[in-house]
Amino acid sequence: MIVRLFLSGLLLLAHSFLPANALEVTAQGATQRQALNNALRQAVEMTFGSDIEANTLVENFQVVRQQLLKQSRGFVRSYEILRQSQSENGLYEVTLNADVDDTNLKDSTRALSTIMQMASHPRVMVAGIDEDFDALSSLNPDFQKLTDTVELILKDDFKFKVLNKDLIRLESQNSYRFSDRKNNLKRARQAKADYLIFVELVQTTQTSATLKLESLDLATGHTLALEETTFATEANALEAAHHHVYAPSAQISAAMVENLTAEIYDTGQRFELSFFKFDPKTLSFLEADLSSLPGYVRHKMAAQDKNALSLSYWSMLETGALHEHVSALLKAQDIPFNFYMRQRSLTYLFDDPMFE
């Protein structure tokens, strides 16, 4: 069973005063961050063992992504790094003193709050759409109440930072209330949202309707979860939908939290790296060079031709730090370039001096 460790306020805790009963632990990892997390996880396991208590998100609600909720029953209140080094085989080793809170984790709310702190409270926008032929208009004021309910669940139960879509609309160049995917995607990216939630209500028959919720990771454009709930209706499908909105909202939210948890602890963050107008010789070495950067986890080729290279790239680094290392890699080879960034999509364009 994988035990996940939740850390609150890492930057502040690193320099906190440590009590006399702090544990000294040593652990290794492929990166400094991984070694640190392994050491802190070991401290928690030494305190509590591996007997993990499963919790549900809300009382009287069926378990949502139960494996997500099998979390470590404690927090590291503070820690102090005593020694850190890198061996000849490339592994990092960290020795630290850690003060583990021995208060049991009674519910998932505290754990979710900690994950959100570590992930800097991802920005989420909720948008109603009506692209299906039988979909109810998302411009209906009662539909707004439905999306408002989804927003409250994301904000109050899952601790996301929910963006004010009406304010975003008024601040954009076009203040029209869009009800399609394309324009809402554009608006969410302009607002620098991390995730976009689509809500659609389809009148399946005269006496039934289907509520559809979809969560998208805007950094990659990938769908994280798609939930559909069909229910009986009498006269008002929108009114009936309010009684069925919690379950799919919780499920797509749990999928996003699970994605964030994996990024923080296990797989690193996923980036999309693209290189355009580079010469073939440079591209032939670039893929291998990228795999040697600090924080590298793995990569997957997306597309490659004579002068371009695109790949999915997982790293333990944050966006700014990864860009610094990629830039240093290109500058070390005296390659002039321009750089563009949108969330976790990094694009490098060869700057040909012949066309200045």
Side-chain angles (χ1 to χ4, degrees):
M1 181 180 295
I2 298 176
V3 179
R4 300 190 187 280
L5 174 66
F6 296 111
L7 310 176
S8 179
L10 290 182
L11 294 178
L12 293 176
L13 292 178
H15 300 288
S16 299
F17 174 76
L18 288 163
N21 60 347
L23 295 171
E24 181 175 324
V25 293
T26 300
Q28 294 181 327
T31 66
Q32 287 179 314
R33 177 176 174 177
Q34 192 176 83
L36 174 62
N37 282 341
N38 288 341
L40 293 168
R41 182 182 296 113
Q42 183 177 325
V44 172
E45 290 177 334
M46 289 172 64
T47 305
F48 301 110
S50 58
D51 181 20
I52 307 304
E53 178 181 350
N55 299 281
T56 55
L57 289 173
V58 177
E59 189 176 0
N60 300 324
F61 185 73
Q62 289 186 350
V63 174
V64 177
R65 303 295 172 101
Q66 186 172 358
Q67 69 274 21
L68 169 66
L69 300 176
K70 292 178 181 178
Q71 309 290 5
S72 172
R73 295 189 304 172
F75 298 92
V76 172
R77 283 189 291 234
S78 56
Y79 69 90
E80 178 186 6
I81 296 177
L82 302 178
R83 297 179 299 278
Q84 52 185 340
S85 61
Q86 185 177 15
S87 64
E88 293 182 357
N89 60 11
L91 284 177
Y92 290 86
E93 183 173 283
V94 172
T95 299
L96 53 81
N97 273 330
D99 173 29
V100 180
D101 185 356
D102 59 359
T103 302
N104 287 342
L105 183 59
K106 296 298 184 183
D107 56 51
S108 62
T109 302
R110 186 177 176 190
L112 289 168
S113 298
T114 306
I115 288 178
M116 290 304 163
Q117 289 178 16
M118 295 183 69
S120 301
H121 292 275
R123 296 158 60 89
V124 178
M125 188 178 113
V126 179
I129 59 173
D130 47 33
E131 294 190 323
D132 190 288
F133 181 79
D134 295 315
L136 278 66
S137 173
S138 63
L139 304 180
N140 187 315
D142 287 334
F143 199 102
Q144 177 74 33
K145 296 178 183 178
L146 188 63
T147 57
D148 287 347
T149 301
V150 176
E151 290 181 350
L152 284 174
I153 295 168
L154 287 162
K155 179 182 177 182
D156 294 344
D157 291 353
F158 289 88
K159 316 306 176 187
F160 286 97
K161 182 176 182 179
V162 178
L163 303 181
N164 187 324
K165 54 182 176 294
D166 289 330
L167 182 61
I168 293 171
R169 175 177 62 85
L170 294 174
E171 289 179 346
S172 66
Q173 294 180 350
N174 190 333
S175 60
Y176 179 73
R177 286 184 180 271
F178 293 116
S179 61
D180 63 292
R181 296 173 65 92
K182 181 179 178 181
N183 283 296
N184 277 304
L185 273 167
K186 181 178 180 181
R187 186 168 281 170
R189 285 176 171 141
Q190 289 175 341
K192 297 182 179 179
D194 298 299
Y195 298 105
L196 175 59
I197 311 299
F198 284 125
V199 182
E200 187 173 34
L201 183 60
V202 179
Q203 189 74 54
T204 313
T205 67
Q206 289 185 341
T207 58
S208 67
T210 299
L211 179 63
K212 301 179 180 180
L213 275 76
E214 179 183 3
S215 60
L216 286 88
D217 182 348
L218 290 174
T220 63
H222 296 156
T223 296
L224 291 178
L226 175 62
E227 299 293 335
E228 297 186 6
T229 301
T230 300
F231 51 90
T233 64
E234 294 180 357
N236 192 327
L238 278 169
E239 182 177 338
H242 277 86
H243 300 290
H244 301 274
V245 70
Y246 185 86
S249 298
Q251 287 164 345
I252 63 166
S253 300
M256 292 190 293
V257 173
E258 188 172 18
N259 184 61
L260 289 168
T261 306
E263 289 182 351
I264 292 171
Y265 296 109
D266 296 335
T267 62
Q269 296 191 88
R270 176 174 177 163
F271 297 88
E272 300 298 325
L273 301 185
S274 300
F275 302 85
F276 296 108
K277 297 185 179 181
F278 285 77
D279 66 84
K281 184 178 179 180
T282 299
L283 293 178
S284 66
F285 293 102
L286 194 54
E287 183 181 0
D289 290 340
L290 289 170
S291 64
S292 66
L293 293 181
Y296 170 81
V297 178
R298 62 188 177 93
H299 74 275
K300 180 179 179 181
M301 186 71 67
Q304 184 176 14
D305 59 27
K306 183 178 179 181
N307 298 109
L309 171 68
S310 296
L311 47 85
S312 296
Y313 186 93
W314 285 263
S315 173
M316 300 298 289
L317 301 178
E318 297 298 331
T319 306
L322 177 59
H323 167 56
E324 289 180 4
H325 284 290
V326 176
S327 297
L329 182 65
L330 297 174
K331 290 176 181 177
Q333 300 180 39
D334 296 322
I335 300 174
F337 63 91
N338 292 315
F339 167 71
Y340 305 93
M341 179 176 67
R342 187 180 66 193
Q343 278 87 37
R344 295 199 299 275
S345 178
L346 286 67
T347 301
Y348 299 85
L349 180 67
F350 180 71
D351 186 14
D352 194 337
M354 295 293 292
F355 293 95
E356 290 185 352

